[in-house]
Amino acid sequence: MFPADLPTLLVRPYEPADEAGVLAAMARAYGRAPTPAEWRWEMQGNPSGAFAWLALDETARVVGLVAARGARMLFEGEPVLFALVVSALADPQRRRGLRNPGVHVRTLQAFAEAVGGPAPERVPIVWGMPVPETWRIANKLLKLEAVRTQLVLSTPLARLVLAAAPGVEVEEVQHFPDAVDGLFARCAAGRGALAVRDRAQLAWRFGARPGVSYAQALARRGTELVGAAVFRPGDLDGERGVGLVCDWLVLRDDAGATSALLAWLAARARDAGVETLHAFAPETAPEWRDFQSSGFHARRLRKNYFLAARSFQKRTSMRWLYDNWYYTLGDTHVV
Amino acid sequence: MTDYEIREYRAGDLPSLLETFELCFGRPGADRPARTAAEWSYTYEQNPAGWRIWVAATKGKVVAQYAARPYRVWLDGHVRSFAEIVDSMVHPEHRMGLKAPGLFVQTARPFFDAYGGPNHPKDMVHYGWPIEAAYRIGKLFLGYSVLRSQTALAREPGPGGVELPPGVGVLERFDASVDPLYDRCKNGWGASTIRDATFLNWRFVDHPRHDYTLFAVRADDGALRGYAVYRTGAWILPRMGLVADFLVPNDEREVAQALKEALLARARTDRVSAVGLFLPEWSNWFERFQDWGFLVWPTPYNMIVRAFDPRHKLFWLRDNWWFTLADSDLV
């Protein structure tokens, strides 16, 4: 039964009619909230889907929320869904301690029970990038564990080492074409886990996001697509005005494509008036080595410390994810 | 079901403890070699900071151990103790000896109660780089938290000279001249193992299994300006050049440069596959070694901690604790 001071807390899945109440709750909890368009983009536009659970008090006011972004994955070659937690809030007036949890624990538990579970029926991996202030809740209540302490790769433009890229042409595009599906399929070969980067997903992630513009480019050798990259200027981990390598998909060991796309990123960064490039890649992926060989250095992040996950299937450990999961900044909600 | 006596190590335990060690680690594929009596004595009895050992015994024989090597640590102007968990084991025939959570956990729990605590002389932090199986158990039952997914800085020696650069010498032992060097460094760090001659000679010079080379740069007046400790060994790669410790003040960049060249020269002579080291990511040296061509690589390890002082928990330790391979028993 409900604890005495939570007499009528109702926990249930989010519905579009809850939008105004959710945004008001976010404004109370965070001091700011997404615009309605941004929220609809997150909750309704994603071709991979979204997940959200609410807690409402006796006046039907939203006092708890867990929202997650779906990602269609190729996981050992099979299609599964991962869910990235983008918001987990409890109304400041209803928060309680970890020893005596209230809104937070009930919302998070309802979310986990409804969403998490072995593939293919359920979502086997729920993950996030909690900041220190939210790590205890993520760890204790949602049972996220560290996959890795995330480092960022960064370089001043002047340190970039660009090899020759004979025969590789880079074309900036407004939208990725259907042919990007084939590039993704070839890049996915041999990967343990990575999010699907097909035309529909990329169009939503980088083409349709309200209020944020991304520059997108393709690399071709002759008629063959050999790589894709996405850029925007912005802030990362408290550092303002940096160049963000938002996505990176290049055929393995294609040094020409790597170099050509890095040259495009550098040119885009100069155009935007920023002097550094920042990227995410797992240190277990070939891209990690490629970026370092091109002049990027690994640095700690001050705020987004852990990439953390909860596995709902026994065979997938945090170590397996550490060793096998490829992702970029675009997989996160950071950019 | 077998009855176990779970208690602190005491005189007379060593013969059966070493037998169990041999059973656990003296086999192909073990993550570490078995210990001789001399190595055990070095690790525990001769450690200037003491020992931390809890055992499970039955019928007069030690069949499980949960142990740590303590180090004296300078933190916030005081001497504290951190302890590195090492050599934890359960005799193969006793791994199912108790109902869940098993003998490993039941030996470890009183260890933490006995030795962990916020105030000196108790250990403020227990830490280590456990193998995956031990990490999974520790996470579930013993309060292990991941402090970092451990990376290593490494590079090939590359072309170049094999002579020591001018100004770099080799020490036989550390002496009191290391104290002012450590004093210069420690104030920039929140926490660090006290690098005095007692610790360093125990850790490197008197090690019963490995030979370390102590590269050093001295000023004209004999003052120690920096040192780096090196040995070869198979670790993450076959035949690596391992930089086991590195101590140079932040503003002594030319000293560090000379030591780096000495390490690479020796690595070329030794024909190693790569030169590698641990450094904390918050340190300027983490960036400078990358300037010198070292890349950051993954390792099989998570660095885990169990911290007992609420003022110095996970995030503080990540951002303020200086450590190198010297703070581990990995090399």
Side-chain angles (χ1 to χ4, degrees):
Chain A
M1 294 303 292
F2 295 143
D5 63 339
L6 296 172
T8 56
L9 194 70
L10 174 65
V11 180
R12 63 160 172 78
Y14 169 83
E15 297 167 2
D18 296 318
E19 178 182 295
V22 164
L23 297 180
M26 292 172 96
R28 285 195 302 276
Y30 303 139
R32 58 185 167 76
T35 65
E38 288 167 340
W39 180 247
R40 283 172 215 151
W41 172 80
E42 188 71 79
M43 284 291 111
Q44 294 163 32
N46 182 353
S48 294
F51 310 90
W53 278 71
L54 305 177
L56 299 117
D57 69 7
E58 63 279 7
T59 67
R61 191 173 70 144
V62 176
V63 293
L65 168 72
V66 183
R69 180 183 298 179
R72 289 171 293 137
M73 304 288 295
L74 268 186
F75 185 93
E76 297 184 306
E78 298 295 321
V80 305
L81 275 178
F82 281 15
L84 163 67
V85 176
V86 295
S87 183
L89 71 83
D91 190 288
Q93 295 177 349
R94 303 298 291 261
R95 283 181 195 153
R96 306 170 77 189
L98 289 175
R99 287 177 183 277
N100 187 19
V103 170
H104 248 322
V105 71
R106 295 192 56 205
T107 319
L108 286 162
Q109 281 177 350
F111 166 84
E113 285 168 15
V115 173
E121 293 80 10
R122 310 283 284 277
V123 174
I125 303 294
V126 172
W127 67 286
M129 294 200 70
V131 295
E133 295 76 24
T134 57
W135 169 243
R136 284 180 73 226
I137 288 169
N139 181 234
K140 301 287 183 196
L141 300 186
L142 194 51
K143 301 190 188 313
L144 297 191
E145 303 170 34
V147 175
R148 61 165 43 80
T149 40
Q150 184 67 50
L151 300 174
V152 62
L153 290 158
S154 65
T155 181
L157 300 182
R159 198 171 64 208
L160 264 182
V161 179
L162 300 174
V168 179
E169 300 285 336
V170 173
E171 176 196 6
E172 194 159 317
V173 294
Q174 291 299 309
H175 306 286
F176 285 116
D178 289 342
V180 80
D181 295 13
L183 171 67
F184 168 74
R186 285 183 294 146
C187 289
R191 306 267 192 186
L194 82 167
V196 171
R197 285 150 162 83
D198 58 15
R199 191 195 58 76
Q201 194 67 36
L202 294 168
W204 168 77
R205 180 65 181 84
F206 301 117
R209 184 176 171 192
V212 183
S213 296
Y214 299 87
Q216 306 170 74
L218 291 167
R220 285 193 174 85
R221 185 177 286 107
T223 57
E224 181 194 19
L225 270 187
V226 291
V230 179
F231 170 88
R232 79 169 172 86
D235 306 334
L236 184 70
D237 194 44
E239 199 170 340
R240 301 184 71 85
V242 300
L244 301 167
V245 182
C246 298
D247 208 15
W248 182 263
L249 190 66
V250 173
L251 292 180
R252 183 166 295 190
D253 296 328
D254 194 326
T258 294
S259 195
L261 284 168
L262 284 174
W264 172 78
L265 286 162
R268 261 304 192 161
R270 286 190 193 95
D271 290 346
V274 299
E275 296 174 357
T276 56
L277 286 173
H278 296 247
F280 271 12
E283 60 269 31
T284 44
E287 288 80 358
W288 175 266
R289 177 203 59 207
D290 295 342
F291 276 114
Q292 289 191 92
S293 300
S294 301
F296 284 75
H297 286 184
R299 289 169 33 186
R300 67 173 169 153
L301 288 163
R302 291 173 191 279
K303 288 166 61 183
N304 293 94
Y305 176 30
F306 285 118
L307 188 139
R310 176 173 174 183
S311 172
F312 289 86
Q313 55 188 17
K314 218 170 185 177
R315 68 189 171 101
T316 308
S317 67
M318 297 304 106
R319 190 73 209 183
W320 189 93
L321 291 170
Y322 177 85
D323 287 334
N324 293 286
W325 179 11
Y326 175 72
Y327 57 86
T328 69
L329 274 168
D331 291 76
T332 75
H333 62 302
V334 175
V335 301
Chain B
M1 185 172 287
T2 310
D3 285 330
Y4 295 99
E5 182 188 11
I6 295 174
R7 56 166 171 77
E8 191 171 50
Y9 169 86
R10 63 188 179 214
D13 285 337
L14 186 57
S16 65
L17 193 154
L18 289 175
E19 283 174 22
T20 300
F21 215 102
E22 177 68 25
L23 277 169
C24 293
F25 298 109
R27 58 181 165 75
D31 67 302
R32 62 183 58 219
R35 290 207 193 285
T36 63
E39 288 167 344
W40 191 91
S41 172
Y42 160 81
T43 300
Y44 298 103
E45 292 175 334
Q46 295 170 38
N47 180 351
W51 52 263
R52 312 279 188 261
I53 309 171
W54 216 258
V55 299
T58 185
K59 297 175 185 165
K61 288 184 179 298
V62 170
V63 294
Q65 172 182 255
Y66 199 88
R69 305 199 314 187
Y71 307 114
R72 294 168 67 243
V73 165
W74 187 255
L75 186 149
D76 281 352
H78 297 92
V79 176
R80 303 295 194 102
S81 177
F82 286 14
E84 181 201 6
I85 299 161
V86 296
D87 298 347
S88 299
M89 61 178 178
V90 177
H91 189 295
E93 292 173 10
H94 294 266
R95 288 179 185 165
M96 307 299 284
L98 290 173
K99 287 182 179 174
L103 196 55
F104 180 86
V105 171
Q106 300 211 26
T107 309
R109 280 177 171 158
F111 166 97
F112 289 110
D113 294 340
Y115 299 130
N119 300 313
H120 197 66
K122 288 213 165 188
D123 303 324
M124 223 177 90
V125 173
H126 288 142
Y127 71 98
W129 290 268
I131 60 170
E132 178 67 10
Y135 165 62
R136 282 202 301 268
I137 294 171
K139 178 180 65 178
L140 278 174
F141 297 110
L142 300 174
Y144 289 10
S145 295
V146 173
L147 184 69
R148 58 172 50 81
S149 34
Q150 185 66 57
T151 57
L153 288 150
R155 59 163 283 181
E156 294 176 359
V162 294
E163 303 295 326
L164 289 186
V168 179
V170 175
L171 305 177
E172 291 294 316
R173 297 183 70 82
F174 288 97
D175 57 29
S177 66
V178 76
D179 293 344
L181 171 65
Y182 173 68
D183 285 344
R184 286 177 66 192
C185 295
K186 75 182 183 189
N187 293 329
W189 303 331
S192 57
T193 295
I194 296 171
R195 274 135 167 98
D196 57 14
T198 304
F199 166 74
L200 293 168
N201 287 328
W202 167 75
R203 178 65 182 82
F204 300 121
V205 180
D206 300 329
H207 197 288
R209 184 184 285 263
H210 300 304
D211 291 324
Y212 298 88
T213 303
L214 319 177
F215 294 113
V217 175
R218 288 195 185 277
D220 293 342
D221 64 359
L224 193 59
R225 298 176 67 193
Y227 73 77
V229 180
Y230 168 96
R231 79 166 173 88
T232 56
W235 182 43
I236 294 173
L237 297 172
R239 192 163 179 78
M240 287 186 73
L242 303 164
V243 184
D245 203 17
F246 174 85
L247 188 70
V248 179
N250 255 331
D251 57 357
E252 293 269 29
R253 193 161 183 163
E254 71 285 3
V255 172
Q257 180 91 20
L259 288 169
K260 180 260 296 182
E261 290 303 330
L263 291 164
L264 293 178
R266 178 62 182 272
R268 291 180 196 111
T269 302
D270 291 338
R271 298 181 181 281
V272 301
S273 55
V275 180
L277 70 161
F278 281 180
L279 289 175
E281 304 89 353
W282 54 261
S283 156
N284 289 339
W285 296 116
F286 189 75
E287 173 74 12
R288 288 180 195 169
F289 271 82
Q290 292 181 77
D291 288 339
W292 294 333
F294 285 73
L295 302 186
V296 177
W297 296 93
T299 75
Y301 306 107
N302 281 323
M303 186 180 186
I304 64 93
V305 295
R306 181 164 170 181
F308 295 91
D309 182 346
R311 294 166 302 170
H312 300 95
K313 299 291 273 189
L314 197 65
F315 296 99
W316 188 91
L317 291 166
R318 179 197 69 144
D319 289 336
N320 293 281
W321 176 13
W322 170 265
F323 72 96
T324 68
L325 282 164
D327 297 84
S328 81
D329 75 333
L330 297 170
V331 306

